[in-house]
Amino acid sequence: MIFIKPKNQHYENMSKALIQQFEKRRFEAYYCPDKNSALKKALELIPEGTVVSHGGSESINEIGLLDAIVEGNYEYVDRKFGNTEKELKESMKKSTFCDYYLMSSNAITKKGELVNIDGYGNRVAALSFGPENVIVVVGMNKLCEDVDNAIWRTQNIASPKNTLRLNKNTPCSTTGYCGDCYGNESICSAIVITRRSWSIGRIKIILVGEELGY
């Protein structure tokens, strides 16, 4: 007999309605109960030999997806390749037009919307246009009631933790809460709400029944 932890069962129950909402919005969606099954599903979706890149994401690291791509039979585009600002920009541009783009989402809503806040804008740009396929790996801990709550979560939970990870000197890095800053260190330049995919199935969402990322 397989014992399913109550939280995982709760996440699985919620995912059924959430997947229906995603599919209404022309997203392709899956539920995986844990990190290992999420990694397996992601690799099933990415054919070997394709060009793969990614945005900044702790979630894809936590399930082992980035390592699997770098070490596997794929043409990996490192978005941070280069020693100068010009070279880094070129790497980001190249990653935006890959075959498969990997990322997470700062938050998702019960209605199936994706909510993201970005510093450079390269991640939300790729989500909106560019790569032929976008794979979004997101833990069920990022589920929010609505867009307003999703934006609050991104500004007050995800962004403060990311500023610490990136060694940024912002108000939220010291207080833990959004300071609505506009300085050079700010990682919140663009707020993007993705309410549908312009191409059916282009955006593939893997819901994971564990807490992932920030």
Side-chain angles (χ1 to χ4, degrees):
M1 181 172 124
I2 298 175
F3 177 72
I4 300 176
K5 294 181 180 179
K7 180 183 283 190
N8 295 63
Q9 186 63 61
H10 178 57
Y11 283 157
E12 184 173 351
N13 292 342
M14 290 193 298
S15 74
K16 295 173 184 176
L18 188 53
I19 286 174
Q20 290 181 350
Q21 294 296 324
F22 283 139
E23 290 176 345
K24 286 180 183 178
R25 298 174 181 277
R26 298 155 62 101
F27 302 134
E28 188 176 307
Y30 305 89
Y31 175 78
C32 295
D34 52 40
K35 296 173 185 176
N36 289 336
S37 57
L39 173 60
K40 181 179 178 181
K41 173 54 68 176
L43 293 175
E44 287 176 0
L45 296 173
I46 308 171
E48 290 189 346
T50 53
V51 181
V52 184
S53 193
H54 62 95
S57 168
E58 288 300 293
S59 297
I60 64 172
N61 283 322
E62 288 176 20
I63 71 167
L65 180 54
L66 186 55
D67 286 341
I69 293 299
V70 173
E71 297 168 5
N73 185 24
Y74 307 92
E75 185 179 335
Y76 170 63
V77 177
D78 184 352
R79 67 190 177 89
K80 289 186 175 181
F81 179 79
N83 296 314
T84 66
E85 184 175 349
K86 182 178 180 180
E87 289 174 341
L88 289 170
K89 284 183 178 179
E90 287 302 314
S91 295
M92 286 186 181
K93 288 178 183 178
K94 186 176 179 182
S95 74
T96 306
F97 292 96
C98 60
D99 298 323
Y100 284 82
Y101 191 87
L102 314 177
M103 60 176 289
S104 186
S105 184
N106 295 132
I108 54 177
T109 73
K110 287 184 177 180
K111 289 185 177 181
E113 299 138 315
L114 308 180
V115 177
N116 287 281
I117 295 182
D118 215 1
Y120 285 105
N122 60 301
R123 183 172 60 99
V124 293
L127 177 62
S128 300
F129 178 79
E132 293 184 18
N133 300 274
V134 178
I135 295 179
V136 181
V137 178
V138 58
M140 290 292 290
N141 55 302
K142 295 184 179 181
L143 179 61
C144 298
E145 185 68 29
D146 52 31
V147 168
D148 287 341
N149 281 285
I151 293 174
W152 185 93
R153 182 193 188 281
T154 301
Q155 291 177 320
N156 294 280
I157 296 178
S159 292
K161 292 179 179 180
N162 275 314
T163 57
L164 292 174
R165 177 175 64 87
L166 298 170
N167 294 316
K168 297 290 186 179
N169 182 22
T170 63
C172 72
S173 70
T174 56
T175 67
Y177 295 98
C178 179
D180 194 28
C181 64
Y182 301 93
N184 292 335
E185 296 282 273
S186 176
I187 64 170
C188 300
S189 301
I191 300 175
V192 173
I193 301 164
T194 307
R195 61 178 299 274
R196 71 186 283 273
S197 175
W198 54 264
S199 176
I200 296 174
R202 172 182 174 267
I203 298 174
K204 304 167 189 4
I205 301 169
I206 300 176
L207 297 170
V208 187
E210 295 186 18
E211 296 188 3
L212 291 178
Y214 304 145

